[in-house]
């Protein structure tokens, strides 16, 4: 059954085979996508027609590589900007949340904690439509009562940022809380005894201790935002983010340019993920 | 709240509480109340709105709507169950069977694909399975098939895609509960003559219940609310309920009807989360750790 018990060869071999099968299942679609980004063919399919970097660098009438594909480049830039603001906002608010739930005492703390968790169990599509409806209600209200036409309330860049922020903050709160739980509070008491005020203690001592978790939370927030689809789908305006833009292309047929973008995404996210995992392992 | 005169204002509490309250009330509580209100209104031909439960009545009157709803729920349960059955041996292998030095590496390998956008993963499956895809290419070459078969756009592929997409959220909680399972329990059972199946059903699974509940809740919720995978792998026949919501919002521009659908989906997902927690006697805040 387990390491310490005698196992029949059939059991060990069978189990190994199952696990190998499982990992092939996990990686097959990603590997195939990456390999076909380098196939010298007009379609992302076999047969193999030779190695090429055209889908990255070419700029010919029948072949436009990703680095010359204005629509896709624009959407990458939109996604990067969205992810930047989501990361800043959710890291700030998530860290506040961690301090609030770990170090402060107040009435209805349990209820508020429950409320803070809920975004994780609300389907992303529902988050998207309810934020869309609410901002529309606010927009109508401001227009009718104050005569202001506030662009901010329509679908578009800032609504996407807010929609993603609404659930990514929960993740950051949980990540930072997990580290704050391990914090030795006598360090704070010592600093207070030595004449620091509460804010100085937080700034010089607690935040220093939390910084690995905050960085890791920010990295996760950036990735989650960069690839979010469900919530964004309903809030997006004329500026499509990368996943929305890719979805529209995949739905209507595909070119190896999509493979090239996927390849870049896989390489970048894996790098960030591996760095993040290695760092968080070292922490422990 | 009136504070006694000599009681200082708790500035740190105020600083931490304000952003969190703003976030939760402006982006979670109020929008969902608005969703409910929106679903209870109806626009007539002149554009005037009035209170009505017509949106919900229409849901029950039109078989296409409630059938899609039931279908989505049943498929989500199937997906959750399949994910569990596939993930349990993997989690067990990594925590109890694999050599210690491979554990960290295997866990990292397990996590990697899920950092990549869901869209890229689904796209990978499309390249593999479509009529001109890789799988067909090899089946033809080895003479197993005479002509290519379209493997996309059916329920089996859709379920497979959904299982694939949500796998991580089952494996990770299972790994973390099995890490805490004392090996000596299994050794004792083995010494006392327990068979493999009795060990699985009477020791491993009962011990893993917290992880199973946590994983199942997240997988069910994500599957129920998934739009991308059913839409791209299931095609036009996928009949997933999120597509009905999308159609009402974007295609028909009937926000009232769409809100009613959205609210029903939210109720279903909350009910299942609640039932899962009640059945296993756990708290949401502990499960989500």
């Amino acid at each position: 059954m387990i390491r310490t018990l005698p196992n029949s060869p059939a059991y060990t071999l069978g189990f190994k085979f199952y696990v190998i099968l499982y990992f092939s299942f996990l990686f097959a679609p990603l590997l195939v996508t990456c390999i076909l980004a380098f196939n010298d063919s007009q379609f992302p399919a076999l047969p193999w027609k030779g190695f090429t970097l055209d889908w990255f660098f070419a700029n010919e009438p029948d072949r436009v590589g990703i680095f010359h594909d204005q629509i896709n480049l624009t959407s990458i830039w939109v996604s990067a900007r969205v992810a930047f603001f989501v990361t800043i906002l959710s890291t700030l608010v998530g860290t506040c949340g961690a301090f609030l739930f770990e170090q402060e005492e107040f009435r209805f703390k349990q209820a508020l904690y429950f409320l803070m968790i809920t975004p994780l169990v609300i389907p992303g599509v529902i988050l998207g439509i309810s934020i869309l409806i609410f901002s529309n209600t606010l927009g109508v209200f401001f227009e009718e009562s104050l005569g202001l036409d506030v662009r901010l309330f329509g679908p578009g860049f800032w609504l996407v940022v807010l929609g993603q922020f609404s659930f990514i903050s929960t993740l950051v709160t949980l990540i930072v809380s997990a580290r704050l739980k391990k914090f030795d509070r006598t360090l704070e008491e010592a600093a207070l005894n030595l004449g620091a005020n509460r804010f100085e203690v937080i700034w010089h001592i607690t935040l220093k201790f939390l910084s690995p978790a905050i960085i890791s939370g920010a990295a996760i927030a950036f990735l989650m935002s960069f690839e979010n689809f469900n919530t964004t789908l309903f809030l997006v305006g004329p500026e499509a983010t990368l996943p929305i833009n890719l979805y529209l292309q995949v739905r209507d047929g595909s070119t190896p340019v999509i493979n090239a973008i996927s390849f870049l995404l896989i390489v970048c996210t894996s790098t960030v993920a591996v760095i993040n995992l290695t760092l968080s392992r070292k922490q422990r | 709240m009136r504070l006694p005169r000599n009681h200082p204002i708790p500035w740190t509490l105020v600083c931490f509480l304000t952003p969190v309250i703003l976030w939760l009330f402006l982006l979670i509580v109020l929008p969902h109340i608005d969703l409910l209100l929106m679903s209870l209104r109806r626009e007539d031909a002149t554009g005037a709105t009035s209170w009505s439960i017509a949106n919900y009545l229409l849901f029950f009157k039109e078989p296409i709507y409630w059938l899609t709803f039931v279908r989505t729920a049943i498929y989500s349960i199937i997906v959750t169950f399949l994910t569990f059955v596939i993930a349990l041996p993997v989690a067990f292998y990594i925590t109890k069977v694999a050599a210690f030095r491979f554990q960290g590496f295997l866990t990292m390998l397990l996590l990697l694909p899920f950092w990549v956008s869901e869209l890229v993963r689904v796209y990978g499956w499309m390249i593999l399975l479509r009529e001109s895809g890789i799988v067909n290419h090899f089946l033809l070459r080895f003479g197993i098939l005479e002509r290519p078969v379209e493997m996309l756009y059916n329920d089996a592929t859709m379920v497979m895609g959904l299982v694939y997409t949500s796998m991580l959220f089952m494996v990770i909680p299972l790994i973390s509960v099995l890490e805490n399972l004392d090996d000596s329990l299994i050794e004792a059972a083995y010494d006392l003559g327990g068979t493999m199946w009795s060990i699985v059903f009477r020791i491993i699974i009962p011990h893993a219940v917290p992880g199973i509940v946590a994983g199942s809740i997240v997988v069910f919720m994500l599957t129920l609310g998934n739009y991308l995978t059913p839409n791209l792998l299931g095609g036009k026949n996928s009949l997933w309920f999120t597509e009905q919501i999308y159609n009402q919002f974007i295609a028909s521009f009937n926000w009232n009807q769409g809100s009613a659908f959205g609210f029903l989906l939210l109720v279903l997902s909350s009910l299942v989360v609640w039932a899962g927690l009640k059945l296993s006697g756990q708290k949401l805040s502990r499960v989500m750790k």
Side-chain angles (χ1 to χ4, degrees):
Chain A
M1 278 301 290
I2 57 176
R3 288 180 211 98
T4 47
L5 294 175
N7 291 318
S8 74
Y11 172 83
T12 317
L13 212 69
F15 219 154
K16 241 183 209 152
F17 181 70
Y18 177 81
V19 171
I20 290 171
L21 209 66
Y22 177 80
F23 277 103
S24 326
F25 170 67
L26 278 193
F27 283 94
L30 300 183
L31 274 181
V32 165
T33 308
C34 287
I35 293 168
L36 290 183
F38 300 97
N39 189 9
D40 194 2
S41 152
Q42 288 301 111
F43 301 101
L46 288 177
W48 184 256
K49 290 186 178 164
F51 180 87
T52 179
L53 289 176
D54 280 2
W55 300 114
F56 293 87
F57 299 107
N59 193 9
E60 294 153 30
D62 62 332
R63 257 178 210 209
V64 181
I66 163 70
F67 294 117
H68 298 280
D69 185 335
Q70 277 316 316
I71 296 175
N72 281 316
L73 284 181
T74 311
S75 72
I76 291 176
W77 178 233
V78 172
S79 276
R81 280 188 303 153
V82 168
F84 173 78
F85 286 109
V86 170
T87 307
I88 300 274
L89 270 177
S90 57
T91 310
L92 274 176
V93 175
T95 309
C96 283
F99 274 104
L100 182 68
F101 292 112
E102 290 302 320
Q103 296 204 335
E104 301 290 338
E105 287 306 326
F106 54 96
R107 267 208 286 178
F108 308 118
K109 184 173 163 180
Q110 278 309 312
L112 198 67
Y113 188 77
F114 181 80
L115 193 62
M116 187 274 292
I117 299 280
T118 48
L120 287 189
V121 287
I122 299 173
V125 170
I126 310 289
L127 266 181
I129 58 172
S130 42
I131 291 174
L132 175 68
I133 290 173
F134 184 58
S135 81
N136 184 61
T137 308
L138 282 183
V140 170
F141 171 79
F142 275 103
E143 203 179 333
E144 282 178 357
S145 65
L146 303 171
L148 293 169
D149 182 13
V150 188
R151 278 274 191 73
L152 226 57
F153 291 120
F157 185 84
W158 290 105
L159 214 53
V160 172
V161 170
L162 287 177
Q164 298 184 351
F165 159 77
S166 72
F167 72 94
I168 292 178
S169 294
T170 301
L171 294 172
V172 179
T173 307
L174 292 177
I175 293 168
V176 178
S177 292
R179 181 146 173 101
L180 195 50
K181 275 199 180 77
K182 295 184 199 142
F183 180 64
D184 181 3
R185 292 205 75 175
T186 53
L187 289 174
E188 289 188 339
E189 283 161 25
L192 285 172
N193 283 340
L194 293 170
N197 67 36
R198 188 85 181 86
F199 285 102
E200 286 170 339
V201 171
I202 289 172
W203 184 251
H204 290 294
I205 296 173
T206 326
L207 279 179
K208 284 262 153 44
F209 173 81
L210 287 179
S211 59
I214 294 176
I215 292 169
S216 155
I220 289 173
F222 191 90
L223 284 180
M224 294 290 280
S225 161
F226 199 84
E227 60 190 38
N228 180 270
F229 180 84
N230 280 343
T231 308
T232 312
L233 181 65
F234 291 91
L235 301 174
V236 76
E239 286 182 297
T241 63
L242 182 65
I244 300 284
N245 183 35
L246 282 180
Y247 166 73
L248 297 174
Q249 293 176 53
V250 167
R251 204 179 50 179
D252 305 334
S254 52
T255 71
V257 175
I258 302 176
N259 292 59
I261 301 173
S262 305
F263 173 78
L264 294 176
L265 275 179
I266 290 171
V267 170
C268 294
T269 46
S270 319
T271 318
V272 176
V274 169
I275 293 174
N276 194 19
L277 285 173
T278 335
L279 285 182
S280 63
R281 196 150 298 195
K282 262 192 200 140
Q283 261 177 57
R284 267 185 243 148
Chain B
M1 189 170 66
R2 251 185 53 202
L3 294 162
R5 186 165 292 176
N6 58 355
H7 199 292
I9 300 171
W11 282 114
T12 48
L13 178 64
V14 173
C15 280
F16 295 142
L17 194 59
T18 318
V20 174
I21 291 276
L22 282 177
W23 155 38
L24 291 174
F25 278 83
L26 286 181
L27 291 174
I28 306 294
V29 176
L30 293 178
H32 286 87
I33 294 175
D34 207 19
L35 178 76
L36 176 63
L37 295 181
M38 190 75 162
S39 74
L40 290 170
R41 295 190 75 89
R42 185 126 196 111
E43 204 168 311
D44 60 22
T46 59
T49 57
S50 56
W51 296 103
S52 148
I53 55 163
N55 299 317
Y56 290 94
L57 290 179
L58 185 71
F59 170 80
F60 290 104
K61 238 181 3 214
E62 286 287 335
I64 179 78
Y65 295 143
W66 64 261
L67 276 176
T68 309
F69 189 74
V70 172
R71 183 184 137 90
T72 306
I74 291 175
Y75 267 128
S76 299
I77 293 170
I78 295 175
V79 167
T80 309
F81 182 73
L82 284 177
T83 313
F84 165 67
V85 171
I86 297 173
L88 184 66
V90 176
F92 187 75
Y93 186 86
I94 289 178
T95 48
K96 300 290 173 200
V97 183
F100 282 115
R101 62 204 153 97
F102 291 133
Q103 263 180 351
F105 173 71
L106 285 178
T107 314
M108 197 190 265
L109 211 57
L110 206 66
L111 286 169
L112 268 187
F114 298 95
W115 288 92
V116 180
S117 165
E118 184 186 353
L119 193 102
V120 173
R121 287 178 271 147
V122 172
Y123 177 65
W125 281 114
M126 290 175 76
I127 299 181
L128 276 170
L129 296 177
R130 67 176 157 211
E131 209 174 344
S132 58
I134 313 299
V135 173
N136 268 313
H137 178 82
F138 283 110
L139 288 177
L140 285 175
R141 178 178 272 190
F142 295 129
I144 300 170
L145 284 181
E146 296 270 305
R147 61 187 65 218
V149 179
E150 180 62 89
M151 295 181 212
L152 288 178
Y153 314 129
N154 60 57
D155 287 3
T157 304
M158 182 180 78
V159 167
M160 190 276 312
L162 288 166
V163 168
Y164 181 86
T165 303
S166 36
M167 192 50 93
L168 172 84
F169 302 96
M170 187 63 90
V171 174
I172 293 305
L174 286 180
I175 287 184
S176 72
V177 284
L178 289 181
E179 263 174 354
N180 297 327
L181 172 63
D182 194 346
D183 284 3
S184 56
L185 288 174
I186 297 174
E187 287 161 4
Y190 182 82
D191 290 342
L192 293 169
T195 62
M196 194 174 120
W197 293 116
S198 68
I199 292 176
V200 168
F201 284 107
R202 297 178 64 179
I203 295 177
I204 297 172
I205 290 184
H207 180 87
V209 164
I212 298 174
V213 172
S216 301
I217 286 175
V218 176
V219 169
F220 182 84
M221 191 277 290
L222 286 177
T223 308
L224 201 65
N226 199 321
Y227 176 82
L228 204 54
T229 307
N231 190 268
L232 289 178
L233 294 182
K236 290 208 165 53
N237 315 320
S238 68
L239 290 174
W240 208 251
F241 199 66
T242 46
E243 287 171 348
Q244 302 280 9
I245 298 177
Y246 182 83
N247 289 342
Q248 293 297 338
F249 265 87
I250 308 295
S252 321
F253 216 71
N254 187 347
W255 283 20
N256 302 97
Q257 190 64 53
S259 304
F261 288 173
F263 197 75
L264 286 166
L265 193 73
L266 184 64
V267 168
L268 174 65
S269 120
S270 313
L271 267 181
V272 169
V273 171
W274 178 81
L277 293 173
K278 269 278 164 300
L279 282 177
S280 63
Q282 296 196 51
K283 284 214 170 112
L284 185 64
S285 46
R286 293 200 42 207
V287 165
M288 285 305 152
K289 261 206 293 217

